[in-house]
Amino acid sequence: MVWPFNTKSVSGFSSTSTAEDVTHNIDATGLTAIVTGASSGIGTETARVLALRGAHVILGVRNLTAAKDVKDSILQEIPSAKVDAIELDLSSMDSVKKFASEFKSSGLPLNILINNAGIMACPFALSKDNIELQFATNHIGHFLLTHLLLDNLKKTARESKKQGRIVNVASEAHRFPYPEGIRFDKINDQSSYNNWRAYGQSKLANILHANELARRFKEDGVDITANSIHPGVIATNLIRHNPVLSGAMKFVGRLLLKNVQQGAATTCYVALHPQVKEISGKYFSDSNEYTTTPYGTDADLAKKLWDFSINLIK
């Protein structure tokens, strides 16, 4: 695999660094982490590496059969690993509520929440809750999940004296949303729907969500950080809705794309690395802080999205 932009930066890591590289010598024993979308791609690799470093990992997955395969694979490699799975369909608020309830009833602490699951550039559809599917799955599902687990995160941070961390997996696609950024009044407008713009909108929402969480945590003196990341361009099943792109990915993949081990690196870096302690409300790429867009740093837009989202989950 050749990646042309592999210059190491401030953190000492680059686009070619793997999730194992960026967590080398880090001991996550005693930490509990939830990873959504952990049954494939970078979600699986994120879960594997967190478990490798000693964390108790909860897989939030739609397909429990696939999750069992992931769990078995991790345990085969790391017999001492602590891995559990709970069913989670982020496009359904009922499913998110059921997941949160099941997790809470386990009595486990929660140190790390990785909002990783996502769908990309799919045809127009509405979720079970009547919200455009990409916005519903990529943003609202994770917004609700985070909202329902905040007390767990706060309690764990307070009692363990260990800083909690929330990582939202966004994308460089946030640079290409609809012209107005978030279409609050046209979320479900099929006539003007563009699958890639809608994806960009949902990824911008991931960044704004993390930013507003960070602002609120700071204001309330809560020892939890919230950041967003771009994993890199990775050939995963996210592109299943675009056969042309899927074919092209296979063709150029070995030259230009990150592999899954590299794709999970920034998530694992922001979730575990001591360098990221106290850093909150930032956007990361290639395991380094990275610039976003004017929309991506718009505090008023973040607050507006927060209020809009709170209304949707009521």
Side-chain angles (χ1 to χ4, degrees):
M1 205 312 298
V2 178
W3 185 254
F5 313 109
N6 64 349
T7 309
K8 288 194 177 177
S9 192
V10 178
S11 69
F13 302 113
S14 71
S15 60
T16 58
S17 301
T18 66
E20 286 197 28
D21 292 337
V22 303
T23 57
H24 182 64
N25 281 341
I26 292 175
D27 184 4
T29 305
L31 302 182
T32 302
I34 289 174
V35 183
T36 70
S39 60
S40 65
I42 60 171
T44 296
E45 178 64 2
T46 299
R48 183 189 75 83
V49 172
L50 291 179
L52 179 67
R53 300 304 176 218
H56 182 175
V57 182
I58 312 298
L59 315 173
V61 292
R62 280 185 304 182
N63 185 335
L64 285 175
T65 306
K68 185 182 182 303
D69 292 342
V70 170
K71 179 178 176 177
D72 290 348
S73 170
I74 292 173
L75 287 172
Q76 193 171 356
E77 181 196 347
I78 315 151
S80 62
K82 293 181 184 173
V83 183
D84 290 295
I86 302 175
E87 189 174 1
L88 173 64
D89 177 357
L90 285 150
S91 70
S92 160
M93 290 194 213
D94 281 346
S95 177
V96 175
K97 289 171 185 171
K98 187 168 177 286
F99 174 95
S101 174
E102 198 170 327
F103 177 78
K104 287 175 183 178
S105 67
S106 74
L108 287 167
L110 182 57
N111 304 90
I112 300 164
L113 173 60
I114 297 176
N115 292 319
N116 164 79
I119 55 173
M120 183 169 92
C122 54
F124 181 85
L126 293 176
S127 72
K128 290 168 186 170
D129 304 292
N130 261 350
I131 302 165
E132 186 274 308
L133 195 58
Q134 294 194 80
F135 193 76
T137 306
N138 297 351
H139 170 61
I140 291 297
H142 282 127
F143 182 90
L144 175 59
L145 179 67
T146 306
H147 189 70
L148 294 173
L149 295 175
L150 273 183
D151 285 346
N152 296 64
L153 282 156
K154 289 175 182 177
K155 182 172 184 274
T156 303
R158 193 170 57 247
E159 292 180 355
S160 69
K161 303 289 192 290
K162 290 177 183 172
Q163 191 169 72
R165 297 191 186 186
I166 297 171
V167 184
N168 281 0
V169 178
S171 166
E172 279 291 272
H174 81 274
R175 298 182 189 278
F176 309 102
Y178 292 103
E180 60 270 51
I182 308 286
R183 316 178 90 192
F184 295 104
D185 55 346
K186 290 184 178 177
I187 285 293
N188 290 351
D189 184 16
Q190 185 173 358
S191 65
S192 58
Y193 178 79
N194 176 289
N195 59 341
W196 284 105
R197 297 276 186 192
Y199 179 64
Q201 170 181 253
S202 72
K203 295 289 104 180
L204 172 61
N206 293 152
I207 293 172
L208 294 172
H209 176 216
N211 293 355
E212 180 62 9
L213 279 167
R215 187 191 71 78
R216 286 167 178 261
F217 292 149
K218 186 178 179 183
E219 193 176 78
D220 297 340
V222 174
D223 194 20
I224 302 170
T225 62
N227 292 291
S228 53
I229 70 109
H230 168 58
V233 183
I234 304 135
T236 71
N237 63 4
L238 266 183
I239 55 174
R240 62 188 175 274
H241 295 293
N242 194 317
V244 175
L245 188 59
S246 185
M249 287 284 195
K250 285 174 186 168
F251 181 71
V252 301
R254 293 188 183 185
L255 292 175
L256 295 176
L257 305 181
K258 286 188 177 186
N259 59 36
V260 169
Q261 292 76 19
Q262 293 163 335
T266 305
T267 302
C268 290
Y269 173 75
V270 176
L272 285 183
H273 208 286
Q275 287 177 349
V276 190
K277 189 171 164 57
E278 309 302 338
I279 296 175
S280 196
K282 300 296 183 183
Y283 176 65
F284 288 79
S285 180
D286 297 335
S287 301
N288 283 277
E289 277 188 50
Y290 204 62
T291 55
T292 176
T293 62
Y295 277 146
T297 53
D298 187 330
D300 291 333
L301 187 61
K303 285 177 197 167
K304 187 175 179 183
L305 176 65
W306 182 279
D307 293 340
F308 181 75
S309 305
I310 286 287
N311 264 336
L312 281 178
I313 65 171
K314 276 179 181 172

